[in-house]
Amino acid sequence: MRIAVYPGSFDPITNGHLDIIRRASRLYDKLIVGVLNNINKKPLFTAEERKSMIDSEIIDLPNVSCDIFSGLLVDFAKQNGATVIVKGLRTVADFEYEFQMALLNKALNPEYETMFLMTDTKYSYISSSMVKEVAKYNGELNGLVPKNVISKIKHKI
Ligand code: PNS
């Protein structure tokens, strides 16, 4: 059984993340979305809120689940019996950081492969931080994040 993890902060989940989740779910038997509970970051949403928003969007994907993790990604992968780490790539700017993380994860545990899915061009400019910026100034969030997330952001900001 091929199990993959798709890690991130997901603060909040965007349509770009969802596209990667949908596409990766077709490539693996099981996909676990890992929400990082990073004590060093000050997220807009708690890890539980972020997981709950993801759970609502993956209802129609039976082989996808979502879990909160802290600590090292390779340890989270091991706990879940995953052999693959899925990441999305938008721009060249993403590449440098992602390449470094992939090499580091490989050094930490050579058993895991990082697999990159290229963003669909229509999502290439979306990031959680841009979404929060747009929301702060009351900009249009339609098309950037799922409908359910729009109301959650508006409530927070
Ligand atoms: O959505 P993000 O913030 O770009 O995701 C970053 C994430 C969660 C993938 C990365 O920070 C991570 O894997 N953190 C867990 C800690 C870890 O394993 N660090 C070493 C590899 S970078």
Side-chain angles (χ1 to χ4, degrees):
M1 177 135 123
R2 285 249 162 243
I3 305 175
V5 291
Y6 175 47
S9 301
F10 304 109
D11 185 39
I13 185 159
T14 67
N15 285 344
H17 292 134
L18 264 179
D19 178 56
I20 298 290
I21 292 173
R22 287 186 182 283
R23 288 160 58 199
S25 75
R26 289 185 222 120
L27 301 173
Y28 302 99
D29 300 310
K30 203 172 152 195
L31 180 74
I32 300 136
V33 181
V35 177
L36 179 68
N37 191 6
N38 188 343
I39 44 164
N40 300 319
K41 268 192 184 173
K42 185 92 192 71
L44 178 63
F45 294 99
T46 66
E48 287 73 20
E49 287 170 330
R50 286 178 270 150
K51 173 179 158 41
S52 150
M53 285 185 277
I54 295 169
D55 281 337
S56 308
E57 301 304 322
I58 58 174
I59 278 173
D60 60 330
L61 301 170
N63 65 334
V64 181
S65 60
C66 178
D67 254 324
I68 296 168
F69 79 104
S70 48
L72 288 179
L73 172 60
V74 287
D75 293 336
F76 176 68
K78 191 172 192 167
Q79 284 154 22
N80 285 285
T83 49
V84 172
I85 295 164
V86 171
K87 289 292 192 81
L89 270 186
R90 286 166 303 196
T91 57
V92 205
D94 278 347
F95 177 77
E96 228 172 305
Y97 177 56
E98 291 296 342
F99 188 41
Q100 188 185 9
M101 281 202 283
L103 293 181
L104 177 60
N105 286 327
K106 194 84 181 152
L108 290 171
N109 194 330
E111 284 169 33
Y112 304 116
E113 293 297 345
T114 304
M115 302 289 278
F116 291 99
L117 292 184
M118 298 302 161
T119 182
D120 188 308
T121 43
K122 61 179 180 282
Y123 304 120
S124 62
Y125 59 93
I126 306 176
S127 69
S128 297
S129 34
M130 292 296 182
V131 164
K132 284 179 275 192
E133 178 94 354
V134 172
K136 203 163 101 186
Y137 299 107
N138 246 322
E140 182 57 61
L141 293 174
N142 255 320
L144 303 183
V145 291
K147 291 237 162 6
N148 173 48
V149 173
I150 296 182
S151 54
K152 296 274 184 337
I153 302 181
K154 287 197 169 147
H155 188 72
K156 273 267 175 195
I157 290 183

